[in-house]
Each structure stands twice: as C-alpha cells, then as structure tokens.
C-alpha cells in the first residue's frame, strides 16, 4: 500500500544484554494441574510477510496482534458456527465474504485512495448514545467477530459484523454480572468472548478484586435465572493481590490461557481449563524460578520486597509457539525493559531472558529526532508493541523460535514540554543480543498523552504487515509498513536522501464530542479481501472499522507516499457534515500544507464536483435534482471548511470557487424549469433545452457514449457540463433564431403557439441562470470572503474591484448582446400577439410580458459587469471598448425601460428607471402615463367611474412626480424640465409650480439658472420670484452665450432695464450695481458700433440676390487691397465680414480687426461720417472692452495695432514732398489723413484726454513676434504655424511704418498733425459751446414768456456733452 523511508539507522550491530529480573511466587488457589498430552495441530505456523522495505524477511511463523490466537481455531470456528438456538459448523470464508461487502448497512465515515472508515450497524443502541453518562469499555474477539462492552453491572455481547442473511443475525446479549461493585468509581470489569470448538465461551474478570467467572458458552452466561447462570459458570479468583492493586489488562494466550496485567506491574498467567480440558481456573504470577524461595518466609519476602517487581508495564503480548501447549509471551515496561516468558497451558512458566533496550531505543530516536539527553521534561517511554514475523527458514527458523527469539515493532514516545515525539521501531530480541533494524519517526501526530486516561495507546498490525494502526484515545494513526521496491529510481533517491517518508495519516475524533476509544483489535485478513483493517469501539458512537487499501495495480508505494491537500479537502467536504460525526476533519498542525497547495487542491476539488468526476458523487441516479443538490452542498461544504480551517485564500481563488457555486445553483434552477416544462409538454416538439444541447458544438459538451448506453443528452449535460454553463445562455436566443430561420427555409413557419413557447423557454433558461447566479453571488459574498467588495444586484459596484479578475462568466462576450436581443424579441412577439384568442398561446404571451422586466434587469446587470471589467484591462483597446459599451448601455437601458410601457409594464419600467436612476426614462414613462390618464379623464366625461379612476391615477402619478423632486433632487429636476423644454412645453413647467410643493419651485429656479436656460430664467425670476436682480444676472448670462446680434442687443437692453428696476426698487444694496449698468452701456455701445458698420456696408449689397452673393460683394469691395498680401489678415477679415453680414455678434477685438483692415480706397462718404471715424471707432472699442488687471498688455497691444494701421493708411512719403506746395495745400493734405481725423475726433470726444495718442515709434513691433502673440492676444491657443503667419502680417505693417518714418519723416509730421488736430477740436468745441449757450438763452426767454409765474431755470445748466449717438459720453467716465 504505502512506501517507507530508508533510515540510516535501519540496521544496527547486535548488542548483547544480560538477562535480568525475576518475579515472586504467587499463592495458588488449587493444586497444580497435571500436564496432559497435546495434539500436533494445537499450534500451526503462519505464512511470512514482508513488513518493511529495509530488511528482507524470509518465511516465519505468523505474528500475533493484540490478541494472539491459534490459527487452527480460526479455521474451524467462525462467527457463524453457532447461534444461541442452534449450534452448527459452517464456513468462515463465507462470513468473511459477507464482511467484505460494504452493502450490509455500514455507514461510510470517510474514504480516500488509501483507506476508508465505516460505522458498523450492529452496535447496540444503548452504546450509541453519547449523552449517556454510564461508564463502559470494550474488547473484541475479532477472529470470531464478537464484541463485548462491559459496565459495572452488565456485559453486552454481540456480533459486531453480521452477514446480510437473516439466518446469520445475532441479537445482542445482556449478561448480568453477579459479582459487581456498587462503587461507581471502581475499575470496570473485563469480559472476553473465548473461541471454542462449539459455541464461544465467555470470561469475566473483576478488575478490583481479581474475581473470575468463566462460562463454556454464551448461552449459559446469558441465562436469565441467576442461580442457573451461577451454576453453569466456573468461579475463581486471583490470589495474592495487595491493597490498591487492580487488574489493568487481560490478554488472551491460547489455548485456554490469559495473561493478567496488574497496576503494580505484576503479570499473572491464568488458565481456565485443566490439562484434561475441564473448566478450572488457575492463576500464577510470573516470576523467575531463580528468585523463587519456598516456604512461609519466602512468600512474605516476595510480598514485602516489592522493589523487584513494581514497575509500569506498557504491554503484554502472546508470541510464537514452538511446541504443543507452549507459547512465548513478552512483557514490556514503559522504561524499555523486555521480558520473554515461556508459558505452558498447564500453568507453568519460566523467564527465558530479559533485555533493557532503553539506551538503544533512545539513542536511535535521538539520532533521528535531534532530541537531547533524557531529562525530567523529556522522558522516554514504551507505549506498546506487536510481534512481527520471525526471520529465517527451516531449521534456522525453528531454532530461533525455540530459543525465544522474536521480532517486535515497538511504539515509543519521548515527551516534551510542548509536544511528544512518537516512533515505530523494529527490533529483534534474542538471549544474546538486541538488534534494531528499522526506525519510523511519526511526523503526523505529536499530541501529548492525557495525564489521566483509562485508555492506553495500542499498536495494531494486521496479518499482512502492510499497515500499522496506532489507536489513541481520540485519534487513530495509520502508518505504512510497505516495502519500497528496489529500482534505479528509488536507489538514486536513497543516495540523495530524497526518498519520501512512509505514508502516514491521522483520523481525529470530534473535539467537542465525548467520543473516545474504549477498545480496539486488528482484524484477521482474508485473501478475498483487498484491505487490512482494525476495529474500534468508540464511547458514545459504536463500532468503527478502519481499513487500509492496497496500492493500485501499476502503482508503487512512492506514488502516494504523502498525504495531499486534495485528499484532506475531499474528506472534509464529502464526510465532514455527516450525521454520524465521529471524525474531525479540521486538520492537525502536524499535517499542514502551504497556501498555494491548498488553493490548487480547492480548485481541483471544485472542478471535480462541477464535472462529476469525483468518486464521491454518483454520476447516475434517478433524480438529477438531488444530484445537483448534493453537488451544491459539497461546494458549500468546501468553502466553509477552507474558511474555517485554512489561511485565507487569495482573491482569485475565492472568486473562482464562488463562480463554480453560482453555476451549480443556476444549473439547479434551470433543471427545475426544464423538468416542469417536461411535465406539461405536448406533442408540439422538443423542449428548447434539448435543442440547445443537441446543437452545441462538441467542444462545449461531453458527448453521449453509445457504448455505455447514454441516451439522454440533457441529463448528460447537467451531470458533466455545468462547469461551462456560460455557453448555454447565449445559445438560448441563438437556438430560437436558428429554429425560426429553419422553419422559414422549410416553408413551415411556426405558428404563434410554438413561437411563444420557444421564446418563453429561452427566457426561462436565461432568467434561471443569470438571476440565480447574481443573487447567489450577493447572498454568499461573505461566505466566500468577498464581502468587502461592494455589490449591487450581484455586480461589483466599484470598477477597481475588477482588477485582477478574468472574464466573468455572467457577462461574457457572447452573453451580453444575446440577452439584449432576447429582450427585444420577447417584447416584439408579445406586442404582435397581444390579441390572440388561443388560450395556450395567450398563456405563453402572458409569461413573456411578465418576464420581460426581469430580462431587462438581467440585461442591465450583464452590461454593467461587462463594461466595468473591460475598463480595468491593461490594453487600451479593451478600455476603449469598455467606454463604448458603457455608453451603449446607457442608451439601451433607457430605451428598454421606456418600451416596457408598450406591453403594459409601465410600472415595472418606472421601478427599473427608479432603481437605476435613469431619470430621462423615468420622466418619459411617468409623463406618458400622466398624459394618458389626463386624456382618459377628458374622454370619460359621461362616465363617472372612469373619470374618477383616471383622476385618481392622475393624482397618484403627480404624487410620484412630487416625491421624485424630493428623492432625486437635481438629477430628476434636470431631466423633467429638460424633457418639457425640448418638447416645446416651456410654459408648462412655469405654470405647474402651483400643482406641486415648494421643492418644485426651488428645483425649477436652480435648473433655469443654468446658463443654457437663461432666456427662460429671467422670465421665471420676474414672474415667479419677482427678483429683478436675478433676472438681470440671467440676461447677462444669456447675452454671453448669444450669437445673434439682435438677440444680444435685446438681452443687454433687458438686463439694463432689470438693473434699473432693481435699483429703483432697492432690492439689492450693492455698490457694484452702477458698475453693472455702465458695463451694460459699454456692451450696448459695442453692439451699436457693429450696427453702424453693417449699415455702412449694406448699401453696397443691394444688387445681391441672396446671402451668399452679399458676402461675395462685400469681399470684393472691402477685403481686397490691404489684405491681399497679408494672408492671415485676409482670413480673419473674411470670417468677420461673413459673421457681420449674417447678423452674428462680433466681439470687440473681431470688430476692431474688421474696421481697421477694410480697404481705405473702398470707403465712401456717408452722412454719419463712419469712414472718417473708423479708426476712432476702433480706439473707442478698445476703451469699451473689458480687460482684467492682468490683461493691460493686451489692451496696449490693441491700441498700438489701431494707431499703426491708422498711420499707414496714407502715403506719408508723398505728403512729405512739400515742394511747390503752399501751406493751405499742405494743411488740406494732412487734414485729409486718417491720423488727423482720428486725433481730431479723439480730442473732441475727450478720448485722448486721459490716454495720449501713441507716436509712430511707439507702435513699432506690436505682434511681430510669437512671444507677444502668445501672451498678449486672443490667439494664445493657436498653433505655432498659425502664429508665425500672423506675426509675418503684423511685421509687414511695421515695415511699411518704418518706411514712412524714415522716408516720409512721419515721426516729425506726427507732432504737427497732433497739434493741428487738437487746435481744430478746440475750435469746434468753442463754436459748439457758443451755439449751445445761444440756444439756452432763447429757451429761457421763451419759458418766461410762456410761464411768467413759475420760477425759471436760470440756475439749471446742462453740463452733459453728447457729441453723437454712440454714447461717447462714456469716454469721460
């Protein structure tokens, strides 16, 4: 079965030890019996076995286990040889065949490829109850199949293993003990079933006083009549027991002999028959004949001088026999002293030899375990031993046996402060030597022995010698003694010290229960059996068999030399929650596995459950539902065990285990739906699931095996293919599509019923799978250790949580689109057949309608999970796909929610839109329903009930709308108001404020105060809030976004009016209010300037037939000469002129460029004088423009550009040629320049009073570099290439100006022109003042004549100077 470790201590040099020790004589109760002749068949040698892989063992007499017995007796006397009613001989082989059959009602407690454990069903109910406080212990007569449980007052005898044949049944016998004690704390008596040639006999030994009762048959012992029972038994007692001494062990020594072990360390040989075979009880203490002294004083000496015999006996075992009526016995003390005694059935005995093996054993253990020298806290002890087959052949073997040589396997322990170290040591004892040939260090069990325990550890080695069982009070250790076959591979491992340790494993009893071992025995081996076993009697549980299995054919012991994590997990999963909870699978610290090994094992176990490849789950059964339930339970038990007994698994492993469990739960739901459909299916064709499984590609399923007569593909799929459930979900829709298409191609289009049925079944598959999976995931998140990852409807909420996860099966690439398609198909089919009269079809249509909201829900879940997962991928392509899928999801779900109203599921649409905060859909659905109910109320004028119902629904819907304003706040309000505005119902939202509470108006105010709704906001502020200041703010915001010139002018005018109203009402005590009014005036002045430019150009466009022709004419007239060589200026001018003619508003800088870049020679005279004042208008626009404190350089740049373009408008080189010109002519030429006109107008209006005009040299360089354009202009965001072209155009202006400065002496001319312009302005202002004074005088005189009695206005002078209609007065503010 198993492998063993080659230990450097496997062979030892012989050590000879002198025989020591003796025993005192014991007083006999009767005369020494005569020696009788024995048959030659009394003892028969047993066949040899190989026990370990270190020493070759030839044929030898059979070993004896815990209870030695005669082999012939085993052959002739079996469990079925007699019953209480009829005594008959039978075949032991037949009974063993029955015992090997585990279909006898035994309950399997655990099983793996190495061993199995079963609870035998024959244990009396009285012994099953672990709540029973009654003390008891037990013994086995395993070679005849009997068990005995002993209490203080009764013995319970039963056949612990019975055949299935009712004739072989054996009811438990309850034997009342006549010699019992009333002291509940007294040691329990011992009872043994003794094999005989006929019915088994029964022996009872009272531990406290040595009283012995022997019945030749069980039927005699079980007699109800106490007198008859007593008469049929033989009574006796062990004499010589001292005060406080009790019997601790009774060991059977065939034939008819027993060894009694006492608490003082003494051992007595007891026989129950005399040499003639008659019942007779005789007991003698084992003692060395050399130390025996006869007479009274010798007896007294043996009593009082106890130093020679007081010891702690570890075990007493019956050994080999070399002649009839004789048997060797070995007594081992805990200190390591071994005595070999020669026993005879006539009661005589002698000490053959004694060896103290402690030093050799301890030295061997110390070398292997690195243990220091023995101390008080580090004590060595022998716990138990068993006989191994003797070595040698023929005469050598017989000589060895005759000399008392024996081979033992010894169980030792070295106690420590924390744990104990146990070992199995193979030794060979002889009169002259002690050899140690093998050492096995036990690594899987290091639990200290309890200080007080009625059960001592026992070592059991069944006849094959392949496995050792070490039974502790609450554990059973299995240890492999199998021989490692020699091979090149094993030889290399031996030399490299890499040969695996022998297999060992521990079965622990449940910690919190009172289960303890109270008896055990090795079972005899039958060649018909494939296992070797032992049986245990467990207090509170019953009889348990632990059986070791052989190595599989073709495997060696090395193939499974260690306990694997998977084996332990499988045992815990499939046996950990049995009602018969004897075993504890929580694990031991000595048998541990690293985290990776546990994770790999957990996934392997989960996969075996999913694929039904586990040997612990039947793949065939009448109920698939029950099979799925068992697998679901196994998956749940797996994660519970992992969570309780192992270190936390990594995140990916936990998720994989959770996904497997989801699939199993989903499959169970699908099966229930399929099973229900089968029960109601008519003759209209296969169920859709059958079609799907048959159409699935072979790569996605395990094909039926005809040779195994597998005919049901659906059941086969549920058994073997659940682990790839994600392929079924998209196929639900795909199969329907294929079937519909095939029916059309075959010209046998499905009828309405078939279509509805197929689509409904597809719905059932998708809903069963996805709904169950998502709900299972969320409900079991804590169980699988992912509770910290927030989920909503089974979908991870935070995108970051998808990091490190592979594609999730519920939202695979194929599932997401197919679910959406099925949603649409179901809805469309329901709409197409909503008026069907066929009841069967109507039933399926109704199901389609009812299930459609659920499908919409799952569609949203798959979309969300998919795009969140994609967004966490490392590649950019997947991330982009995730973003695209997210946008698609928002579009899809909005549409799906709204369309639910089409099939009468409006309330479900509202619920889903509410749940997903899909405000647009929620507004559309609820508003649609509201309008329908309002219309219904109008149409039901003559029907009071309908009208009242409609009114009630209207009230209900409006109540919902009102509640949404409170619940969702801004998000709902924005969607609600935007929907009405886009639908042309702006007046509705302004008038509905009276229907709803104050929250509505507050949300409306906040919504309309967004810049995009400023045109409505000012109306709401004036109409509802009466807040003119807010209205002004709204109008100012609207003006900033307004593109139309007319609209801009209206909004500025209305804003100014609102500001004036605010001022007059005193609504705002704000010092900036006047500044806001002035700002409005400035902006209006800019608008007025643009209108003047347009009116100046418009007469030239009268011949144009359309807007395009107007633009073309304007380009030809004003955008030609000056910008012809200045490409970037030309583009700017053309764009601005196009906007100007389109009546779009230009900003001040665009308007400045338009005015200053127009061709000078294209200007025509006009009554407003715009042509002469255009550069002045440009300077005025610079003044009107609003610049922040950090933008003064930008303002300076614009002024320089305007002055430069003004200066280069005229040919100063020609003007500089004054030869042959008089002063009048020169004055006329300079007065006609743009520079003179601009300066004169500036001085007249006061524009140049606060900001002197720039000289020619001062305006050079403006805009000629990229740095100046990047920092001081509106072109900061333009590309370098565009800025370079623009700088080139500005530089060309500098070149022309420099030429005029150099060749036309413009710098000198500028001073004279400025002085002449200033004087001309002064003359103009004086003339204007005189004229104004004269008109004021006339007005006063006229006022006095008309109103002689009223006071005059002499003191009231009009100091306001208004030069023109362009608000030039602003220049002085």
């Amino acid at each position: 079965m198993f492998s063993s470790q080659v230990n450097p201590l496997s062979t030892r040099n012989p050590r000879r030890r002198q025989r020591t020790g003796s025993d005192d004589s014991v007083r006999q109760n009767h005369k020494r019996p005569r020696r009788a002749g024995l048959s030659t068949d009394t003892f028969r040698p047993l066949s040899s076995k190989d026990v370990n892989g270190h020493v070759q063992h030839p044929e030898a007499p059979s070993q004896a286990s815990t209870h030695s017995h005669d082999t012939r007796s085993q052959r002739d006397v079996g469990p079925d040889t007699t019953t209480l009613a009829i005594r008959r001989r039978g075949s032991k082989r037949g009974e063993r065949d029955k015992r090997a059959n585990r279909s006898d009602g035994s309950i399997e407690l655990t099983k793996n490829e190495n061993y199995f454990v079963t609870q035998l069903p024959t244990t009396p109910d009285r012994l099953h109850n672990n709540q029973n406080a009654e003390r008891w212990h037990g013994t086995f007569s395993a070679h005849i199949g009997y068990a005995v449980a002993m209490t203080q007052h009764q013995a319970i005898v039963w056949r612990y293993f019975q055949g299935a044949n009712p004739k072989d049944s054996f009811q438990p016998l309850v034997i009342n003990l006549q010699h019992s004690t009333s002291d509940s704390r007294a040691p329990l008596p011992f009872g043994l079933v003794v094999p005989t040639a006929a019915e088994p006999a029964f022996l009872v030994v009272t531990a406290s006083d040595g009283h012995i009762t022997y019945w030749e048959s069980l039927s005699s012992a079980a007699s109800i009549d106490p007198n008859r029972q007593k008469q049929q038994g033989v009574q006796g007692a062990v004499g010589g027991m001292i005060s406080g001494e009790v019997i601790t062990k009774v060991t059977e020594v065939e034939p008819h002999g027993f060894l009694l072990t006492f608490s003082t360390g003494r051992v007595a040989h007891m026989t129950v028959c005399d040499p003639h075979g008659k019942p007779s009880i005789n007991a003698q203490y084992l003692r060395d004949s050399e130390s025996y002294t006869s007479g009274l004083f010798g007896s007294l000496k043996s009593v009082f001088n106890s130093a020679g015999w007081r010891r702690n006996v570890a075990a007493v075992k019956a050994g080999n026999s070399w002649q009839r009526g004789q048997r060797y016995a070995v007594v081992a003390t805990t200190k390591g002293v071994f005595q070999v005694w020669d026993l005879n059935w006539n009661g005589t005995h002698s000490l053959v030899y004694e060896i103290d093996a402690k030093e050799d054993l301890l030295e061997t253990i110390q070398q292997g375990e690195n243990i220091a020298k023995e101390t008080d806290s580090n004590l060595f002890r022998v716990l138990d031993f068993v006989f191994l087959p003797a070595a040698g052949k023929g005469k050598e073997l017989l000589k060895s046996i005759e000399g008392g040589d024996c081979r033992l396997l010894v169980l030792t322990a070295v106690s420590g402060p924390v744990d104990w170290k146990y070992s199995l040591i193979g030794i060979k004892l002889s009169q002259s030597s002690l050899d140690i040939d093998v050492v096995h260090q036990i690594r899987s069990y290091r639990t200290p022995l309890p200080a007080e325990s009625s059960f001592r550890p026992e070592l059991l080695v069944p006849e094959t010698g392949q496995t050792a069982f070490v039974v502790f009070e609450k554990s059973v250790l299995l240890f492999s003694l199998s021989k490692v076959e020699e091979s090149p591979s094993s030889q290399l491992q031996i030399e490299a010290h890499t040969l695996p340790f022998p297999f060992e494993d521990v079965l622990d009893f449940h910690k919190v229960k009172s289960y303890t071992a109270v008896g055990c025995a090795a079972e005899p081996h039958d060649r018909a059996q494939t296992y070797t076993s032992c049986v245990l009697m467990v207090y509170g549980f019953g009889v348990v068999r632990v059986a070791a299995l052989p190595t599989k054919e073709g495997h060696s012991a090395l193939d499974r030399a260690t306990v694997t994590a998977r084996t332990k997990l499988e045992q815990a999963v499939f046996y950990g929650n049995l009602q018969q909870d004897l075993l504890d699978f929580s694990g031991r610290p000595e048998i541990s596995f690293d985290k990776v090994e546990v994770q790999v094992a957990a996934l392997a176990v989960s996969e075996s459950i999913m694929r039904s490849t586990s040997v612990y789950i039947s793949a065939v059964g009448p109920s698939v539902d029950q099979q799925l339930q068992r697998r679901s339970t196994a998956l749940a038990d797996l994660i519970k065990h992992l969570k309780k007994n192992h270190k936390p698994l990594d995140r990916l492993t936990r998720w994989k285990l959770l996904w497997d469990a989801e699939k199993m739960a989903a499959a169970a739901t699908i099966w229930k739906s399929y099973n229900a459909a089968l029960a109601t299916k008519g003759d209209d064709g296969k169920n859709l699931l059958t079609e799907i499984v048959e159409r699935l590609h072979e790569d996605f399923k395990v094909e039926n095996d005809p040779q195994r007569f597998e005919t049901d593909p659906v059941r086969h799929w549920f058994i073997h293919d659940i682990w790839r459930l994600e392929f079924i979900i998209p196929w639900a829709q795909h199969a329907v599509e294929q079937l519909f298409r095939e029916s059309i191609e075959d010209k046998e289009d499905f009828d309405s019923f078939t279509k509805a049925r197929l689509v409904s079944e597809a719905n059932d598959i998708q809903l069963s799978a996805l709904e169950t999976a998502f709900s299972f995931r969320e409900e079991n998140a804590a169980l699988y250790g992912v509770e910290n990852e927030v989920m909503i409807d089974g979908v991870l909420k935070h995108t970051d949580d998808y990091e490190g996860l592979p594609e999730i099966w519920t939202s695979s690439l194929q599932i997401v689109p197919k679910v959406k398609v099925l949603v649409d198909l179901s809805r469309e089919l329901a709409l197409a057949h909503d008026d069907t009269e066929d009841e069967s079809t109507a039933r399926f249509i109704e199901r389609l309608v009812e299930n459609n909201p659920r499908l919409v829900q799952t569609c949203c879940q798959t979309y969300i999970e998919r795009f969140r997962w994609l967004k966490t991928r490392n590649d950019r392509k997947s991330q982009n796909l995730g973003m695209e899928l997210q946008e698609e999801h928002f579009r899809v779900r909005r549409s799906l929610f709204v369309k639910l109203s089409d099939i009468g599921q409006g309330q479900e649409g509202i619920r889903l839109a509410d749940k997903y905060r899909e405000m647009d859909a929620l507004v559309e659905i609820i508003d649609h329903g509201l309008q329908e109910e309002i219309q219904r109320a109008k149409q039901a004028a003559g029907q009071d009930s309908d009208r009242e119902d409609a009114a009630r629904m209207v009230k209900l819907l409006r109540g919902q709308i009102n509640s949404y304003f409170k619940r969702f706040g801004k998000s709902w309000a924005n969607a609600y108001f935007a929907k009405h505005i886009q639908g042309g119902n702006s007046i509705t939202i302004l008038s509905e404020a009276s229907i709803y509470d104050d929250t509505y108006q507050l949300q409306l105010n906040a919504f309309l105060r967004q810049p995009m709704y400023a045109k409505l906001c000012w109306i709401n502020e004036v109409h509802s809030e009466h807040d003119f200041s807010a209205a002004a703010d709204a109008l100012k915001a609207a003006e900033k976004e307004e593109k139309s010139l007319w609209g801009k002018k209206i909004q500025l005018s209305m804003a100014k009016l609102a500001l004036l109203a605010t001022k007059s009402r005193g609504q705002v005590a704000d010092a900036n209010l006047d500044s806001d009014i002035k700002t409005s005036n400035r902006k209006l002045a800019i608008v007025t300037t643009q209108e003047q430019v347009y009116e100046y150009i418009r007469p030239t466009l009268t011949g144009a037939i359309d807007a395009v022709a107007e633009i073309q004419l304007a380009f030809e007239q004003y955008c030609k000469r000056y910008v012809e060589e200045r490409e970037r200026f030309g583009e700017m001018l053309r764009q601005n002129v196009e906007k100007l003619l389109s009546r779009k508003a230009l900003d001040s800088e665009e308007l400045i460029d338009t005015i200053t870049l127009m061709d000078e020679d294209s200007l025509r005279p006009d009554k407003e004088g715009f042509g002469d004042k255009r550069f002045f208008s440009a300077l005025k626009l610079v003044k009107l423009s609003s610049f922040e404190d950090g933008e003064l350089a930008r303002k300076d740049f614009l002024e320089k550009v305007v002055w430069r373009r003004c200066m280069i408008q005229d040919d100063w080189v020609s003007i500089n040629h004054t030869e042959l010109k008089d002063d009048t002519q020169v004055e006329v030429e300079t007065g006609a320049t743009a520079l003179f006109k601009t300066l004169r107008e500036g001085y007249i209006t006061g524009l140049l009073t606060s900001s002197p005009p720039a000289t020619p040299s001062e305006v050079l360089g403006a805009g000629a570099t990229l740095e100046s354009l990047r920092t001081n202009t509106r072109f900061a965001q333009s590309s370098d290439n565009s800025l370079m072209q623009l700088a080139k155009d500005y530089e060309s202006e500098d070149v022309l100006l420099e030429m005029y400065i150099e060749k036309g002496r413009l710098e000198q001319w500028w001073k004279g022109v400025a002085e002449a312009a200033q004087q001309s302005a002064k003359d103009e202002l004086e003339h204007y003042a005189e004229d104004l004074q004269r008109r004021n005088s006339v007005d006063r005189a006229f006022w006095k004549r008309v109103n002689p009695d009223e006071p005059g206005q002499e003191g009231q002078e009009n100091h306001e100077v208004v030069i023109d209609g362009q608000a030039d007065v602003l220049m002085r503010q």
Side-chain angles (χ1 to χ4, degrees), residues 1070-1174:
D1070 190 355
N1072 294 326
L1073 189 60
D1074 290 337
S1075 176
D1076 289 343
I1077 295 175
K1078 291 177 181 179
T1079 300
S1080 297
N1081 287 336
R1082 283 197 296 268
K1083 290 184 177 182
L1084 282 169
I1086 295 173
V1087 171
T1088 302
T1089 301
Q1090 182 175 342
E1091 288 181 331
Q1092 288 180 347
V1093 176
Y1094 176 77
E1095 291 298 328
Y1096 179 77
I1097 294 176
R1098 189 166 62 88
T1100 62
L1101 309 177
T1102 54
I1105 59 175
D1106 55 21
V1108 176
E1110 287 182 351
I1111 295 173
Q1112 186 63 33
L1113 285 174
F1115 285 172
E1116 293 176 357
Q1117 185 74 18
Y1118 300 105
C1119 309
K1120 200 169 184 180
R1121 183 186 63 80
Y1122 188 82
V1123 298
E1124 185 175 5
E1125 297 180 355
R1126 298 176 175 89
E1127 182 179 353
R1128 189 71 180 88
F1129 284 172
E1131 293 176 2
M1132 291 164 45
L1133 180 59
R1134 291 184 182 92
Q1135 292 174 0
N1136 294 341
V1137 169
E1138 185 174 348
K1139 291 174 66 175
L1140 179 70
L1141 298 182
S1142 301
R1143 306 297 283 160
K1144 294 180 180 179
L1146 298 172
D1147 63 38
S1148 59
E1149 294 184 53
E1150 292 175 332
L1151 196 53
I1152 290 170
D1153 282 336
T1154 303
I1155 294 173
T1156 59
L1157 290 177
M1158 294 171 63
D1159 288 337
E1160 176 71 19
D1161 54 2
S1162 299
L1163 299 178
R1164 58 176 179 77
D1166 61 310
K1167 64 179 181 178
E1168 299 293 336
F1170 175 77
D1172 294 338
K1173 299 178 182 179
R1174 65 186 182 110

Side-chain angles (χ1 to χ4, degrees), residues 385-403:
F385 70 90
V386 294
F387 282 90
L388 297 178
K393 293 183 179 180
K395 294 181 179 180
E396 180 184 355
L397 176 60
L398 293 176
K399 182 179 180 181
S400 172
I401 295 175
E402 184 177 357

Side-chain angles (χ1 to χ4, degrees), residues 359-420:
E359 292 182 7
D360 296 277
L361 295 175
L362 184 57
E363 180 183 352
T364 301
I365 297 171
Q366 287 173 339
Q367 293 179 13
E369 287 282 1
N370 193 24
I371 298 174
K373 188 176 181 180
E374 184 180 28
T375 63
D376 292 340
S377 61
N378 199 30
L379 297 177
F380 166 84
R381 65 196 69 189
V382 172
L383 300 180
D384 197 10
F385 70 90
V386 294
F387 282 90
L388 297 178
K393 293 183 179 180
K395 294 181 179 180
E396 180 184 355
L397 176 60
L398 293 176
K399 182 179 180 181
S400 172
I401 295 175
E402 184 177 357
D405 296 351
C406 54
R407 292 184 64 251
L408 308 178
L409 184 64
V410 183
L411 174 64
T412 66
V414 178
S415 62
V418 178
D419 57 7
W420 289 25

Side-chain angles (χ1 to χ4, degrees), residues 1289-1336:
D1289 289 353
Y1290 281 121
E1291 187 179 6
S1292 69
E1293 292 181 340
D1294 270 355
V1295 172
L1296 185 57
L1297 180 60
E1298 288 174 346
M1299 184 190 71
Y1300 289 152
I1301 293 173
E1302 179 183 356
K1303 296 181 179 181
R1305 297 190 302 158
L1306 179 58
E1307 193 72 35
Q1308 289 78 16
W1309 279 106
W1310 182 88
K1311 295 179 181 179
V1313 171
E1315 291 175 356
Q1318 191 171 15
Q1319 185 59 45
S1320 175
K1322 181 180 180 182
D1323 294 343
E1324 178 70 21
L1325 287 174
E1326 289 177 353
H1327 175 72
Y1328 181 80
E1330 291 175 358
D1331 184 62
L1332 181 61
Q1333 186 176 6
R1334 187 167 50 251
R1335 282 186 291 164
N1336 285 341

